[in-house]
Amino acid sequence: MKEAVVEARGLRKDFGPVKAVRDVSLAVDPAEIVAVVGESGSGKTTLGRIIVGLMRPSEGSVTVSDRPQMIFQDVFGSLNPAHDIGHHLRRAVIRSGRRVPDVDREVVTLLERVGLGERFVRRRPHELSGGERQRVGTARALASAPRLIVADEPVSMLDMSVRVEILNLMARLRDDEGVALLYITHDLVSARYLADRVVVMFAGYAVESAPAEELLDDPRHPYTRLLLASVPGSSLDPAPAAGTVQAGEAGCPFAARCPVAVAECGRTMPPVAPLATEPSPGRWLRCHVEGAPR
C-alpha cells in the first residue's frame, strides 16, 4: 500500500461567520494527480492553502511527507519585476535548504526541466508571455524537490493552446519524475484531461470523489451533474428544475438548488458514503438521495 504524500482529515476553516472549508478529508498518493473542482467560493483555494501551510485550519489535521509547494494562478503577481528570473530561482534553491554543488547550474537545470532554458536566466517577468511565466512558477516550485505541488488555477488566465502545453508539462512531472499534484480548477474539461482522480467541492464540503473518467462519465451527485451540464457539448440538462427544500444550518447547502432533494436534505448533511458496487475502489459521495449503491 502506498504511503500518501499528503493526508488531510476533517479540515474546517472559518473566516468569522463564513465557513470556507467544512469537514474535508482527502489524500494524494505519490505520482498521482488529484483535481479539486467547484465553482467560485466552493472552498477549493482555501483547501489548497491549508495543504501547503499558508493557512492554519480551524479544525482538523494535515500530514505531509515533505513541504509541498504551490503554483499560483497569477504568477506575475508573485514575481518581483525588479529582478530577473535567475534571481527568483536562485533564491528558491537557496531557501529550500537543498545542498547543490552549483546553484547557478541548478537554476539552468530547473529552467530546462520546464521547457525553457538558459536564455531565460536574465529575462525579467514583464518580458515573458503568460505561458512562460507559468513555467517559471513551476520551476520555482520544483526548486525544493517536492513530492507534492498544489497548482491553483494554473491555466485559467492562459490561451487554450498554451493551457494544453502547461497541462502536458504537469503530466510529464508526474510520469517522469513522480511528482504528485493537487490541481485546483473550475474547469472540468482540463480536470478530465489531466487528473487521475477528481474531488468535487460545494460550499466548503467535498461532495463527491471518483477516478476522473468514471466521475465525469457518470456523475452521481446532483451538483456534479449541474457542473457538467454547463460544459459546452454536454448532453445533460443545463437547467434542472429548482429544488423545493429549504436547507437549514445543519442541512446540505445544495438542498435549495437540488432538483431531487428530500426533507432530510434540509435537516442534515449526509455523511461520506462509499459506493461499493462501483467498478473502481474509493468512489464516494455525500447525498441522501443518490448515495445508495445501484
Side-chain angles (χ1 to χ4, degrees):
M1 183 175 180
K2 296 179 181 178
E3 180 181 352
V5 294
V6 62
E7 186 171 6
R9 293 181 177 272
L11 292 183
R12 194 189 89 233
K13 181 62 179 179
D14 301 334
F15 297 99
V18 177
K19 297 176 174 62
V21 173
R22 301 194 270 184
D23 190 26
V24 173
S25 298
L26 62 79
V28 181
D29 288 333
E32 181 184 31
I33 299 179
V34 175
V36 179
V37 303
E39 61 194 8
S40 296
S42 62
K44 56 189 186 296
T45 291
T46 300
L47 174 64
R49 289 175 176 268
I50 293 172
I51 295 294
V52 298
L54 293 177
M55 291 180 180
R56 291 185 177 181
S58 303
E59 188 176 288
S61 64
V62 177
T63 303
V64 294
S65 59
D66 65 358
R67 184 176 179 179
Q69 297 297 309
M70 193 162 195
I71 302 173
F72 298 94
Q73 178 181 13
D74 180 14
V75 174
F76 188 71
S78 67
L79 296 173
N80 188 332
H83 295 291
D84 59 30
I85 300 306
H87 168 86
H88 290 90
L89 295 183
R90 279 191 293 272
R91 189 167 181 266
V93 172
I94 293 169
R95 288 173 63 89
S96 74
R98 291 172 55 216
R99 293 184 178 181
V100 297
D102 186 336
V103 173
D104 288 337
R105 180 64 245 174
E106 181 67 13
V107 166
V108 174
T109 299
L110 288 170
L111 289 170
E112 291 173 345
R113 287 169 67 187
V114 298
L116 297 177
E118 189 171 3
R119 68 186 185 279
F120 285 86
V121 170
R122 303 301 300 173
R123 301 268 185 94
R124 294 183 184 274
H126 71 275
E127 298 177 304
L128 275 56
S129 68
E132 289 167 346
R133 287 195 292 266
Q134 200 58 264
R135 290 174 184 269
V136 169
T138 304
R140 184 170 57 181
L142 291 170
S144 64
R147 297 182 65 198
L148 172 71
I149 292 176
V150 176
D152 185 12
E153 298 278 13
V155 298
S156 63
M157 299 174 68
L158 304 177
D159 293 338
M160 186 58 66
S161 60
V162 181
R163 291 184 185 187
V164 174
E165 293 177 1
I166 299 302
L167 294 175
N168 287 340
L169 168 61
M170 293 182 178
R172 287 197 300 272
L173 292 176
R174 172 197 58 193
D175 297 339
D176 299 342
E177 303 187 30
V179 177
L181 288 108
L182 189 68
Y183 174 57
I184 297 170
T185 184
H186 66 278
D187 181 7
L188 288 165
V189 174
S190 67
R192 184 187 189 112
Y193 182 81
L194 179 65
D196 303 303
R197 184 159 50 95
V198 173
V199 176
V200 180
M201 289 191 69
F202 177 76
Y205 285 106
V207 297
E208 183 168 11
S209 179
E213 289 194 11
E214 185 179 324
L215 183 142
L216 298 175
D217 286 341
D218 180 27
R220 296 288 296 275
H221 197 281
Y223 174 65
T224 308
R225 291 200 292 267
L226 181 64
L227 281 181
L228 285 167
S230 68
V231 175
S234 172
S235 61
L236 297 175
D237 184 355
T244 59
V245 173
Q246 295 299 312
E249 179 66 23
C252 173
F254 191 62
R257 293 170 56 187
C258 181
V260 299
V262 296
E264 185 62 25
C265 301
R267 292 192 290 264
T268 64
M269 183 65 191
V272 171
L275 298 182
T277 62
E278 295 298 326
S280 299
R283 181 167 190 180
W284 55 262
L285 78 161
R286 304 182 74 151
C287 181
H288 288 302
V289 178
E290 298 290 342
R294 295 175 178 176

